[in-house]
Amino acid sequence: MNTIALPKNGADTAAAPARPLATPRAATSEAPWVRRLLIGVALAFLTLFLFVPLVAVFFEAFKKGWDVYLAAIIEPDARSAIGLTLTAAAISVPLNLVFGISAAWAIAKFDFRGKNLLLTLIDLPFSVSPVIAGLIYVLVFGLQGWFGGWLQEHDLKVIFAVPGIVLATVFITFPFVARELIPLMQAQGQEQEEAARVLGASGWQMFWRVTLPNVKWALLYGVILCNARAMGEFGAVSVVSGHIRGQTNTMPLHIEILYNEYQFAAAFAVASLLALLALVTLGLKHFIEQRVKDQKRSVGDRAE
């Protein structure tokens, strides 16, 4: 019978070397060449489809000199297009501001019948083509539309006039403010409003001193996006405007007409204004995004 010799007093026992634990591989870790390849593809894409066209716009705008550029900007039709664009944005943005705050407050703070339907309708402009939206307004307010006869009898004009452009702009841009406020208001809950109510605050006092300060950065972010879309909208406005030079042409429509008439320097000059607006919007968007993230992070910390 075989016997196993045991070590005496543990003296002959050699300490087994500890095996190093395998370092777990991160799920997103890749070889360095893969990361460099992905970054290179992204940079090449941005250069080709963003930076090069942007540089080309400003290059073509100033190609023939400052005098030609300035003449294209102060030309009467261009000034009319700029003024109409600013007017449409100045009307549509405040309307969407009121709607966005009201809709977000109702959805985040109350339960009511039709709440899901309201959320669906808010997203409608994202799923409907702007051209279709313009055609809907023509069907409703056009000469052969549902209210066309009544409008003609009362000498009121909506289609091929400023009211139609404003209506189309409002429809295209109304989701932006509401969609920025709803998630934040839902994350904040109702504790602060309930505390203010217990302390005797009225509805307006709760809104101005509790609700609005808590969502100010998200609100400003939504307004900036809404304004940028309002000034750059083309499809819906193109359908309802009638392309009347000096009257119903916004900046995008004026650029299209100039380009079709081979007035390239003037077209790029006006386009550079929209490009400059886009750059300013991106800068403000980046700044406010950081504020919104900090605000949401603080809300999450309080909730925990």
Side-chain angles (χ1 to χ4, degrees), residues 66-150:
W66 174 256
D67 293 337
V68 175
Y69 178 87
L70 188 60
I73 298 299
I74 65 175
E75 186 260 336
D77 289 343
R79 286 189 285 108
S80 174
I82 295 171
L84 181 56
T85 302
L86 295 176
T87 300
I91 297 175
S92 61
V93 171
L95 290 177
N96 285 322
L97 177 63
V98 174
F99 167 78
I101 294 175
S102 302
W105 200 0
I107 291 172
K109 306 299 182 181
F110 305 101
D111 290 324
F112 55 91
R113 183 177 299 177
K115 183 176 180 178
N116 292 331
L117 178 60
L118 178 58
L119 280 168
T120 302
L121 293 177
I122 289 175
D123 291 334
L124 185 63
F126 290 144
S127 57
V128 175
S129 170
V131 175
I132 300 301
L135 290 175
I136 292 173
Y137 282 111
V138 173
L139 176 63
V140 175
F141 299 108
L143 187 59
Q144 305 299 324
W146 296 348
F147 301 106
W150 184 87

Side-chain angles (χ1 to χ4, degrees), residues 100-256:
I101 294 175
S102 302
W105 200 0
I107 291 172
K109 306 299 182 181
F110 305 101
D111 290 324
F112 55 91
R113 183 177 299 177
K115 183 176 180 178
N116 292 331
L117 178 60
L118 178 58
L119 280 168
T120 302
L121 293 177
I122 289 175
D123 291 334
L124 185 63
F126 290 144
S127 57
V128 175
S129 170
V131 175
I132 300 301
L135 290 175
I136 292 173
Y137 282 111
V138 173
L139 176 63
V140 175
F141 299 108
L143 187 59
Q144 305 299 324
W146 296 348
F147 301 106
W150 184 87
L151 291 172
Q152 188 177 20
E153 291 176 1
H154 293 79
D155 195 24
L156 298 175
K157 198 171 183 180
V158 175
I159 302 302
F160 305 154
V162 176
I165 295 173
V166 172
L167 286 174
T169 305
V170 169
F171 176 82
I172 294 299
T173 58
F174 78 76
F176 289 97
V177 176
R179 269 302 169 191
E180 290 299 323
L181 293 180
I182 290 173
L184 181 58
M185 284 188 173
Q186 288 176 334
Q188 288 175 345
Q190 305 181 25
E191 290 80 5
Q192 296 186 25
E193 284 83 359
E194 291 173 354
R197 173 65 74 180
V198 171
L199 294 174
S202 63
W204 281 111
Q205 287 176 327
M206 284 192 301
F207 174 74
W208 288 108
R209 298 184 181 183
V210 179
T211 303
L212 191 60
N214 287 337
V215 300
K216 60 182 179 180
W217 291 113
L219 179 63
L220 185 56
Y221 182 59
V223 168
I224 289 175
L225 294 180
C226 179
N227 181 71
R229 179 64 187 273
M231 289 191 175
E233 175 54 31
F234 180 84
V237 173
S238 177
V239 175
V240 301
S241 70
H243 294 267
I244 305 174
R245 299 187 72 157
Q247 297 183 28
T248 62
N249 273 344
T250 58
M251 291 173 67
L253 302 182
H254 184 63
I255 293 170
E256 181 195 29

Side-chain angles (χ1 to χ4, degrees), residues 50-63:
L50 180 62
F51 297 128
V52 170
L54 189 62
V55 172
V57 167
F58 286 97
F59 175 78
E60 293 292 336
F62 292 97
K63 185 176 181 179

